[in-house]
């Protein structure tokens, strides 16, 4: 549950919608992105809509969006699903962003276990863009999301969470 500015309390619900957004959801996500300056124009929004994987809602209003994209990471000889999210100011706090990440991972992990469609991917990767989190999350294995620190991008932590049973084939430059 999330406490709002007024005396009301709202429950944030999460839904997984990868490759299955309705036209009404597409319009609501586009409006959310444009209104909050996440994406600057409607055409760019249209290009990103197929990447939307999960939604956070208060009632019928979409207040958070998670999207994914293929992200090769050569140092690990792996390809991950890059993860990015936006939570509206109205729904921030209360671990909404963390819940959205966990929900997206859980649903993608089910797909990984049940079908071949994403077997070529090893997990999800993301960058901690929240300054407060970057200062306070300092363990190599994050306790909340069970992610691993793999490096830094412009002083922000890059983290990955592998799908259950994922394998990475390490290559060598010269035979041993």
């Amino acid at each position: 549950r999330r406490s709002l500015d007024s005396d009301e309390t709202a429950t944030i619900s999460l839904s997984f919608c990868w490759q299955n957004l309705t036209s009404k959801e597409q319009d609501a996500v586009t409006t959310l992105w444009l209104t909050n300056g996440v994406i600057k124009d409607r055409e760019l929004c249209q290009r990103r809509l197929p990447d939307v994987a999960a939604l956070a809602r208060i009632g019928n209003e979409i207040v958070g969006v998670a999207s994914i994209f293929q992200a090769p990471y050569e140092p690990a000889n792996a390809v991950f699903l890059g993860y990015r999210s936006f939570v509206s100011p109205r729904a921030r706090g209360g671990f909404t962003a963390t819940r959205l990440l966990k929900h997206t991972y859980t649903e993608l992990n089910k797909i990984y276990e049940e079908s071949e469609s994403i077997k070529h991917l090893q997990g999800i990767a993301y960058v901690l863009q929240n300054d407060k989190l970057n200062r306070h999350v300092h363990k190599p294995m994050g306790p909340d999301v069970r992610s691993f620190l793999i490096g830094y991008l412009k002083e922000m932590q890059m983290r990955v969470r592998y799908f259950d049973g994922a394998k990475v084939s390490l290559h060598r430059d010269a035979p041993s």
Side-chain angles (χ1 to χ4, degrees), residues 62-104:
I62 294 174
V63 294
V65 179
S67 60
I68 55 176
F69 56 95
Q70 283 201 30
Y73 185 62
E74 192 161 321
N77 193 31
V79 180
F80 295 98
L81 283 171
Y83 175 89
R84 60 187 159 216
S85 66
F86 174 76
V87 175
S88 76
R90 160 172 201 238
R92 288 185 186 152
F95 301 101
T96 302
T98 301
R99 288 180 56 222
L100 195 55
L101 172 60
K102 287 172 138 179
H103 183 67
T104 302

Side-chain angles (χ1 to χ4, degrees), residues 25 27 34-35 51 75 92 100 124 126 128 147 158 171 173:
E25 289 170 332
D27 291 343
L34 291 172
T35 302
D51 298 342
R92 288 185 186 152
L100 195 55
I124 61 172
Y126 60 96
L128 283 183
S147 63
M158 292 188 314
H171 59 78
D173 294 328

Side-chain angles (χ1 to χ4, degrees), residues 127-129 131 134 151-158:
V127 175
L128 283 183
Q129 294 181 312
D131 290 334
N134 259 306
Y152 291 88
L153 178 67
K154 299 179 185 174
E155 300 182 13
M156 296 179 291
Q157 294 182 40
M158 292 188 314

Side-chain angles (χ1 to χ4, degrees), residues 112-155:
Y112 183 85
E113 291 175 339
E114 295 169 1
S115 81
E116 295 295 315
S117 64
I118 61 171
K119 287 287 189 199
H120 63 290
L121 304 167
Q122 282 72 35
I124 61 172
Y126 60 96
V127 175
L128 283 183
Q129 294 181 312
N130 179 309
D131 290 334
K132 187 175 179 182
L133 282 176
N134 259 306
R135 284 192 307 273
H136 293 97
V137 175
H138 48 78
K139 293 182 179 179
M141 183 174 176
D144 285 349
V145 183
R146 294 183 34 228
S147 63
F148 294 92
L149 175 67
I150 61 169
Y152 291 88
L153 178 67
K154 299 179 185 174
E155 300 182 13

